[in-house]
């Protein structure tokens, strides 16, 4: 029996209007995730209550953590007359009942189609005295019919700069960099902070979901856990010496905003997943610390290289199919090529002009061996059709790949969002040299496990 | 007359002062005035009064009313109820969501509806997610052309027997006529194509979506196939096969010799719906999501209906007997008793094992439109008490019983949900079934009866409709229940408070919990949860105030000197 029994190979007809098994989801969930990375912030979804419910459920299933967020609970009436009274009431309730420092409002397809003006409503709330002294309501515009989850993350992150960051002096604080980590796991944000600290630099990382979505069990539920970038830090980001934006889609807009608003120069790098991408990150940090790379970091790099040189034979000439968010896919593809695995099929539903060019930069002379698809029709159904026509050795992507994995007998390494059926991703980083070791270990485990299950008895071996 | 005078000191938990009234006051304490006024009507003490004639008087619960914005509710939207809940479990309809990508993505395989296709040749589209993935251009210029094209592409690729279209929020605003397009495509393709105006903003919860879904299935599918069914044939309405529940019930019915024509909608197919009107009796499991379908089928085709419950071993036995009693046949009664006899020894053995480990523990349930009621059966079979409960999206009749139906006021939000006008079908109405119902009623058998949650709960327990996060947190702090039943959004915050949380929407990837086998699964699961050692290990041993020198390991293990070396 097959789970995706209606998916066939052969001649593939282009679809104009129907997306099947998407390799993306909508903007607001990215905005909600980003807002959770502000200390003492309650994300708020301005739309029907289903949006908020779906986003909280999906984030909770992925992180296995409470995801607190509120909604304007639109009814048919609000859809006709606008959602102002709903948002005003929500603001009053949230500040009275839950007492966050910040409410981060993101819009939805519904409130955007109606045309609700969030800053104007927030202004009104302020006039009516619904926003207590020192508390803030910020917002990002994230209609679901534009962009995808990563751009929602980007818009909310840029919103943090717009609302909070200030340049208080033309002299920037030497030795302090802002790092915008992109849509990565809490463990990755923690690892990025560790790397920057190891490089001897002070950092402001935003958003920062470590200690928010990987909280210890203490017997107490903290509505606002200890993690998250503080409003004070976001303000101070305008005085940092530089900004490093990791991942152009998720982090680029906030970095540009910070340059424009506060004159903080920025560098946009690929997500530091894999050897070369981490090298670039270290080199960028090195520009700000006097050129030093501590032995600790050099050793981590060395251990990664050691793993690759020792295990190269198992990676060599394998092929993989990848799907997910553009920033992730560019760096993952590069890592795979580093170990001589070909990222044969690469699919993202997230739009954005630079992705194909970046993939070209990564693939270089192997472009002709690879199929890359983006936007409408770039979905898991298409990727599965490609696989039906020519199989790959490995799948790398979110949980939805498990159906293809089972039908086709191809091992799946879970990476990206959402991972609904496993743990690990929230605890163990995949960024940095140590993260690359974890990713390669997972890939190796998948390949070796398949070999052990599938090989004949006489070829079953004890050692590698 | 009031029985509250004898039981008003019912203690919910903590110390003796924690009564429902005390808890209620605390839950409401910090709300802004307007919010408080609203919530006061939804947080109710189950003050059960008996009239002079012995009738039970229950307080009114202001259920099925708008959620207060900003309160952090459990509720989802109309679309979720329509596409996710009702149509989600049907395997052979291609469900195209007309809207931006998110709505379709989030309802893709997330509800754990299981389905069993006999062979690979049978259609199963449940593993697929279909969307028109509307972009800004479609919002500005309209999405009708795109929808038409998407239906065509779905047909060309999959050749399903039916295609359903679901409207999301912006579609309602821009005014795409999904029904007209569906009608046109139905004509063009020669298969059934129908649409649901289930925009997320409609109604006040998922419940509106259930209604919209069921209305359309009633209008467009039921009654298409008149194949005759046997004398003991039933439909099971409102069973969604989470974690394989429907499989258990199907097996029981089959062993009793009861023909299951259709299930709405766990493990279901299009053809089952089309033929549903030919069953001789409708049995309603989830009263909330589907009682009106039972009513409509009865009006149009004459099929009587009864309320059943297959959650709980006793409830299952009772429900099987009630079905047999309706058909009033000696053979069927024997079959049912045989099956109950086969199943019950294992249940009794499991109860003997788990009951002593669970007795006296307390549960609270805040979930769904029937589960918060049905699962109380299982807890009571374990000797556990339900001290507080409430629904996420139910109506007053689910709390207070169907006798309140005539007195429910239709508000602005309910008025927008279509009520179908149904008349008897001239050709297909079965007078004999109607007569059978009348006959049975004369003999004292009750049809169309549901007394709701509160009648079965203890006096002076706490009822909370559409519970908010703040209320849940305060409730836990005050009463420290042994288990909290809710959904994924609540699960991890409840557990962070040191209380195990059982998801009763998706069963935490466990189940089945229906029928006799399911009851045994549930006993074991609750025993696991309330007795897990880990809950007593949350506090580090160095944080109990003991001086370091006196601190002892929580698990003392005798440590001898090392084994003597075997080397000379």
């Amino acid at each position: 029996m097959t789970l995706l029994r209606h998916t066939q190979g052969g001649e593939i007809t282009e679809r104009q209007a129907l997306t099947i098994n998407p390799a993306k989801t909508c903007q607001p969930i990215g905005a909600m995730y980003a807002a959770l990375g502000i200390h003492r912030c309650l994300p708020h979804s301005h739309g029907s209550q289903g949006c908020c419910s779906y986003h909280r459920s999906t984030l909770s299933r992925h992180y296995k953590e409470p995801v607190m967020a509120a909604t304007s609970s639109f009814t048919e009436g609000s859809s006709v007359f606008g959602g102002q009274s709903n948002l005003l009431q929500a603001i009053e309730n949230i500040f009275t009942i839950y007492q966050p420092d910040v409410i981060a409002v993101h819009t939805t397809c519904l409130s955007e189609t109606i045309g609700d003006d969030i800053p104007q409503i927030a202004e009104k709330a302020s006039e009516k005295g619904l926003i207590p002294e020192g508390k803030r309501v910020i917002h990002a515009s994230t209609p679901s019919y534009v962009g995808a989850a990563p751009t929602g993350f980007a818009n909310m992150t840029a919103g943090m700069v717009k609302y909070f960051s200030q340049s208080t002096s033309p002299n920037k604080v030497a030795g302090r960099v802002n790092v915008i980590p992109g849509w990565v796991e809490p463990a990755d944000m923690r690892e990025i902070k560790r790397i920057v600290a190891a490089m001897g630099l002070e950092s402001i990382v935003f958003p920062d979901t470590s200690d928010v979505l990987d909280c210890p069990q203490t017997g107490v539920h903290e509505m606002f856990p200890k993690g998250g970038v503080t409003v004070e830090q976001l303000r101070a980001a305008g005085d940092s010496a530089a900004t490093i934006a990791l991942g152009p889609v998720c982090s680029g807009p906030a970095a540009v905003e910070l340059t424009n608003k506060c004159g903080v120069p920025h560098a946009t790098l690929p997500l530091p997943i894999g050897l070369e991408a981490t090298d670039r990150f270290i080199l960028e940090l090195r520009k700000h610390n006097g050129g030093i790379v501590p032995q600790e970091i050099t050793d981590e790099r060395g251990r990664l290289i050691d793993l690759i040189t020792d295990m190269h034979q198992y990676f060599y000439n394998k092929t993989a199919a990848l799907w997910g968010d553009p920033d992730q896919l560019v760096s993952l593809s590069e890592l795979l090529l580093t170990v001589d695995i070909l990222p044969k099929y690469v699919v993202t539903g997230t739009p954005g002009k630079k992705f194909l060019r970046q993939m070209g930069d990564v693939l270089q002379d192997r472009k002709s061996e690879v199929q890359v698809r983006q936007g409408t029709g770039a979905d898991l159904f298409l990727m599965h059709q490609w696989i039906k026509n020519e199989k790959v050795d490995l799948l790398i992507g979110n949980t939805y790949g498990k159906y293809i994995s089972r039908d086709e007998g191809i091992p799946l390494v879970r990476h990206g969002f959402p991972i609904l059926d496993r743990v690990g991703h929230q605890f163990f980083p995949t960024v940095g040299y140590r993260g690359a070791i974890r990713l390669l270990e997972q890939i190796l485990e998948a390949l070796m496990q398949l070999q052990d299950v599938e090989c004949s008895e006489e070829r079953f071996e004890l050692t590698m | 007359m009031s029985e509250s005078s004898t039981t008003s000191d019912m203690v919910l938990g903590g110390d003796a002062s924690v009564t429902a009234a005390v808890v209620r006051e605390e839950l409401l304490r910090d709300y802004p005035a307007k919010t408080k006024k609203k919530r006061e009507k939804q947080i109710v003490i189950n003050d059960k009064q008996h009239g002079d004639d012995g009738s039970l008087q229950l307080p009114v619960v202001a259920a099925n009313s708008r959620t207060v914005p900003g309160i952090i509710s459990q509720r989802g939207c109309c679309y979720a109820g329509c596409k996710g809940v009702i149509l989600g479990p049907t395997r052979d309809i291609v469900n195209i969501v007309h809207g931006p990508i998110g709505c379709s993505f989030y309802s893709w395989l997330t509800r754990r509806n299981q389905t069993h296709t006999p062979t690979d040749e049978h259609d199963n589209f449940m593993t697929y997610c279909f969307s028109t993935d509307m972009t800004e251009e479609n919002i500005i210029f309209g999405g009708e052309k795109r929808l038409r094209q998407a239906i065509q592409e779905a047909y060309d690729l999959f050749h399903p027997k039916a295609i359903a279209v679901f409207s999301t929020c912006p579609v309602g605003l821009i005014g795409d006529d999904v029904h007209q397009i569906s009608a046109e495509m139905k004509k063009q393709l020669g298969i059934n194509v129908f649409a649901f105006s289930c925009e997320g903003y409609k109604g006040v919860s998922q419940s509106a979506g259930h209604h919209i879904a069921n209305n359309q299935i009633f209008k467009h599918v039921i009654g298409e196939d008149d194949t005759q069914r046997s004398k003991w044939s039933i439909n099971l309405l409102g069973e969604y096969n989470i974690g394989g529940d429907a499989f258990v019930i199907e097996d029981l019915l089959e062993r009793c010799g009861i023909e299951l024509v259709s299930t709405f909608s766990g493990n279901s197919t299009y053809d089952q719906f089309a033929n549903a009107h030919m069953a001789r009796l409708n049995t309603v499991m989830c009263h909330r999501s589907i009682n009106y379908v039972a009513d409509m089928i009865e009006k149009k085709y004459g099929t009587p209906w009864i309320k059943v419950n297959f959650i709980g071993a006793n409830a299952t036995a009772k429900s099987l007997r009630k079905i047999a009693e309706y058909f009033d046949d000696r053979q069927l009664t024997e079959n049912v008793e045989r099956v109950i006899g086969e199943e019950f020894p294992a249940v009794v053995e499991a109860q003997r094992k788990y009951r002593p480990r669970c007795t006296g523990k307390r549960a609270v349930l805040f979930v769904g439109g029937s589960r918060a009621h049905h699962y109380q059966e299982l807890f009571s079979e374990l000797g556990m008490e339900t001290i507080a409960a409430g629904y996420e999206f139910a109506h007053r009749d689910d709390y207070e019983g169907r006798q309140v139906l005539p007195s429910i006021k239709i508000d602005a939000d309910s008025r927008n949900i279509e009520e179908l006008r149904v008349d008897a079908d001239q050709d297909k109405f079965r007078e004999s079934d109607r007569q059978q119902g009348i006959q049975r009623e004369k003999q004292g058998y009750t049809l169309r009866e549901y007394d709701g949650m509160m009648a079965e709960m203890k006096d002076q327990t706490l009822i909370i409709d559409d519970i908010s996060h703040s209320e849940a947190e305060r409730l836990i702090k005050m009463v420290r229940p042994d288990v909290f039943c809710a959904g994924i959004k609540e699960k991890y915050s409840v557990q962070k408070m040191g209380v195990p949380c059982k998801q009763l929407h998706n069963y935490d990837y466990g189940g089945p919990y229906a029928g006799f086998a399911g009851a045994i699964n549930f006993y074991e699961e609750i025993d696991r949860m309330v007795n897990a050692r880990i809950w007593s290990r949350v506090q580090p041993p160095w944080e109990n105030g003991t001086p370091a020198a006196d601190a002892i390991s929580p698990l003392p293990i005798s440590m001898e000197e090392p084994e003597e070396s075997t080397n000379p």
Side-chain angles (χ1 to χ4, degrees), chain A residues 1-7 16 18-19 21 24-25 49 53 65 71 76 79 93 98 217 219-220 400, chain B residues 35 68-71 106 108 117 120 122-124 127-129 131 133 153 201 204 416 470 489 495-496:
Chain A
M1 297 280 257
T2 50
L3 292 159
L4 297 165
R5 64 189 58 161
H6 303 281
T7 309
Q16 308 298 320
L18 186 66
T19 290
N21 300 351
K24 67 164 176 181
T25 183
Q49 60 202 14
S53 178
E65 284 281 49
T71 166
E76 193 144 8
S79 304
N93 276 318
Y98 298 109
Q217 166 66 277
V220 177
Y400 284 99
Chain B
T35 306
V68 184
I71 201 166
Y106 302 116
W108 180 19
T117 47
D120 244 9
H122 289 75
D123 286 347
N124 179 11
T127 47
Y128 292 85
C129 167
S131 171
D133 188 10
E153 288 174 1
Y201 53 75
V204 300
N416 296 329
S470 130
K489 296 191 292 293
Q495 300 220 142
K496 281 279 198 280

Side-chain angles (χ1 to χ4, degrees), chain B residues 305-318:
Chain B
W305 71 267
I306 58 170
K307 173 80 177 69
V308 293
N309 174 22
F310 290 101
I311 301 298
N314 293 332
T316 300
K318 198 173 146 194

Side-chain angles (χ1 to χ4, degrees), chain B residues 275-347:
Chain B
N275 188 222
H277 63 296
M278 299 305 285
R280 315 303 281 270
L281 176 69
N282 277 323
T283 63
V284 173
M285 179 88 175
C286 173
H287 178 263
R288 173 64 274 123
S289 56
I290 206 157
N291 71 85
Y292 38 88
V293 171
D295 277 337
M296 291 192 293
I297 294 178
E298 180 161 19
K299 272 186 199 147
K300 189 165 177 183
Y301 303 104
T303 325
W305 71 267
I306 58 170
K307 173 80 177 69
V308 293
N309 174 22
F310 290 101
I311 301 298
N314 293 332
T316 300
K318 198 173 146 194
S319 295
L320 290 173
R321 286 179 176 131
K322 195 169 176 187
I323 294 168
E325 203 189 330
Y326 175 79
F327 290 115
D328 194 22
D329 180 284
R330 202 167 55 89
Q331 181 60 52
L332 180 58
T333 304
E334 273 178 35
N335 293 353
V336 164
E337 292 306 324
R338 192 196 68 238
V339 170
I340 294 170
E342 285 164 3
E343 295 275 343
F344 235 82
V347 172

Side-chain angles (χ1 to χ4, degrees), chain A residues 88-414:
Chain A
L88 290 175
Q89 203 187 352
I91 288 170
E92 183 185 13
N93 276 318
I94 291 167
F95 279 130
T96 312
I97 306 164
Y98 298 109
Q99 302 169 7
D101 290 347
V102 181
I103 298 174
V105 181
H106 62 261
T107 57
T108 58
C109 45
L110 177 56
S111 54
E112 288 283 344
T113 308
I114 298 168
D116 276 352
D117 182 345
I118 306 300
Q120 178 260 318
I121 299 172
E123 184 61 41
K124 190 136 193 166
S126 183
E127 283 164 19
K128 292 175 81 134
L130 302 177
I131 305 175
E133 185 74 27
K135 310 251 171 172
R136 295 289 296 273
V137 175
I138 68 170
H139 102 289
S141 176
T142 53
S144 322
Y145 47 77
V146 175
T151 57
F153 181 96
N155 289 340
M156 182 53 82
T157 307
M160 296 174 199
V161 174
K162 281 179 207 159
Y163 278 92
F164 293 120
S165 301
Q166 282 169 13
S167 174
T168 59
S169 153
N171 302 320
K172 299 298 176 190
V173 180
R176 187 173 83 205
V177 293
N178 305 317
V179 181
I180 310 175
W183 188 330
V184 290
E185 301 289 332
D188 293 314
M189 301 197 183
R190 198 184 292 287
E191 178 70 356
I192 285 166
K193 288 193 285 189
R194 185 192 68 86
I195 291 170
V196 179
M199 292 291 286
L201 290 165
E202 195 192 330
S203 67
I204 295 173
V205 174
F206 72 93
D208 179 6
T209 57
S210 63
D211 282 320
V212 177
L213 290 168
D214 58 354
C215 286
Q217 166 66 277
T218 60
V220 177
H221 172 240
E222 301 288 353
M223 183 80 191
F224 304 108
K226 69 179 175 189
V229 65
T230 62
V231 169
E232 198 43 55
Q233 285 176 303
L234 284 171
R235 209 169 277 142
D239 287 331
S240 295
T243 301
I244 302 174
L246 300 175
V249 175
C250 285
S251 305
V256 171
E257 185 72 30
L258 207 43
T259 301
N260 294 343
K261 185 178 174 187
C262 304
V264 180
H266 72 272
T268 306
L269 304 180
L271 272 183
I273 291 176
L275 176 69
E276 282 93 339
T278 306
D279 283 350
R280 281 183 211 106
F281 182 44
I282 297 296
L283 289 172
E284 189 62 35
L285 290 169
R286 196 167 160 265
K287 289 179 187 165
H288 302 284
N289 75 350
I292 305 151
V293 178
Q295 192 60 38
E296 179 191 348
I297 298 286
T298 307
D299 286 350
E300 286 169 14
R301 184 179 191 278
R303 276 190 282 273
L304 171 61
I305 301 282
D306 193 51
L307 170 77
I308 298 172
T309 52
D310 292 348
M311 296 296 126
H312 184 248
Q313 71 181 91
Y314 304 104
F315 298 128
Y316 177 72
N317 242 357
K318 294 285 194 293
T319 56
L322 282 65
W323 65 97
D325 299 339
D327 291 347
Q328 297 274 353
L329 293 172
V330 169
S331 295
L332 278 176
S333 296
E334 188 178 45
L335 169 63
L336 293 179
L337 287 166
T338 304
V339 301
D340 277 316
I341 296 175
L342 181 71
K344 192 174 168 65
Y345 307 133
V346 182
V347 160
T348 182
T350 301
K353 290 184 187 123
K354 291 172 193 143
F355 173 67
L356 293 176
R357 205 179 68 221
Q358 287 159 2
M359 281 304 300
D361 294 343
V362 165
L363 293 168
Q364 294 179 19
D365 58 344
R366 304 203 67 176
K367 264 184 231 166
S368 62
E369 300 168 69
V370 175
Q371 303 215 58
V372 183
R373 192 67 71 87
Q374 181 189 24
T376 304
D379 49 32
L380 289 185
F381 184 76
L382 174 70
M383 198 190 76
H384 194 182
Q385 287 180 308
W386 287 343
I387 289 169
K388 289 269 183 198
N389 287 339
E390 206 177 329
K391 210 173 159 177
V392 290
D393 300 303
L394 189 66
L395 305 173
I396 304 177
N398 64 19
T399 286
Y400 284 99
K402 75 191 285 182
Y403 292 80
I404 301 174
S405 171
R406 182 174 150 126
D407 277 3
E408 306 299 336
I410 304 171
L412 166 66
V413 170
R414 286 165 177 79

